[in-house]
């Protein structure tokens, strides 16, 4: 745990700035970005990083979208949406945080510290978003874009890789999360035919209210068929 009075903390922040490739004019923004609510709750009048996390999420999305738009001129919106979902998801953000040793600079409450919060992917991802928000407030869009370029260097994926080894349900979930911030729902409707040759019908409800129906020799197959149809429908409208 890194208490406020720890004399090494400013040095740790200096080292973090070097890894970020960005020097803050207002160091308090970086400190807030690294402050978990559990730390704040143990002290009075200490801001935590949730507001910066909110801002950083939007900043990161526009910066990543800008890179993808320029980097992949032949890709349609559906493909770009899948790519963006991969690049701004919790797993990727936690990876970025680990790459710059962000965890060792976090300010955590005693309980969160004891539970291993410094290595928890969700907490690291949130703090990484907060850092993007802090850089944006301190240096503007250009500084935030430069940070994205630095941290993501060499990590931009092949567009086709988002389609490989993924079933239709997984791909649809990524698209609806990115587009609607919600998940599709699968509802079994009826079973047709004799026991040895059953056909299952399922309804797929998209977050925008549209419904699709599909059939298959198993419930899982019917759901995959419905997801495949939904992906085609969404990409036709992109």
């Amino acid at each position: 745990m890194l208490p406020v009075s720890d004399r090494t903390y400013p040095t740790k922040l200096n080292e973090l700035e070097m890894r970020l490739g960005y020097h803050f004019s207002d160091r308090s923004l970086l400190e807030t970005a690294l402050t978990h609510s559990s730390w704040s709750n143990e002290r009075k009048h200490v801001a935590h990083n949730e507001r910066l996390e909110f801002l950083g999420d939007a900043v990161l999305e526009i910066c990543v979208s800008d890179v993808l738009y320029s980097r992949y001129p032949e890709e349609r919106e559906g493909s770009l949406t899948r790519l963006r979902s991969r690049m701004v998801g919790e797993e990727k953000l936690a990876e970025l945080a680990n790459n710059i040793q962000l965890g060792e600079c976090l300010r955590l409450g005693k309980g969160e510290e004891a539970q291993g919060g410094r290595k928890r992917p969700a907490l690291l991802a949130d703090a990484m978003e907060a850092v993007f928000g802090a850089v944006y407030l301190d240096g503007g869009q250009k500084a935030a874009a430069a940070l994205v370029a630095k941290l993501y260097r060499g990590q931009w994926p092949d567009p086709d890789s988002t389609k490989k080894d993924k079933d239709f349900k997984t791909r649809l979930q990524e698209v609806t999360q990115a587009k609607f911030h919600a998940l599709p729902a699968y509802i079994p409707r009826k079973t047709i035919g004799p026991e040895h040759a059953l056909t299952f019908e399922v309804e797929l409800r998209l977050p925008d209210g549209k419904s699709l129906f599909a059939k298959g020799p198993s419930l899982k197959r019917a759901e995959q068929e419905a997801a495949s149809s939904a992906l085609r429908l969404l990409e036709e409208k992109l």
Side-chain angles (χ1 to χ4, degrees), residues 72 75 79 82-83 86 157-166:
Y72 306 114
E75 294 300 313
S79 176
R82 287 191 294 273
L83 287 167
R86 170 186 287 194
D158 176 353
D160 288 338
S161 69
T162 63
K163 304 171 186 176
K164 295 175 182 177
D165 302 323
K166 287 191 176 182

Side-chain angles (χ1 to χ4, degrees), residues 92-106:
K92 173 56 69 175
L93 289 174
E95 177 186 337
L96 296 181
N98 283 322
N99 289 345
I100 59 172
Q101 301 167 48
L102 192 66
E104 70 178 37
C105 298
L106 296 177

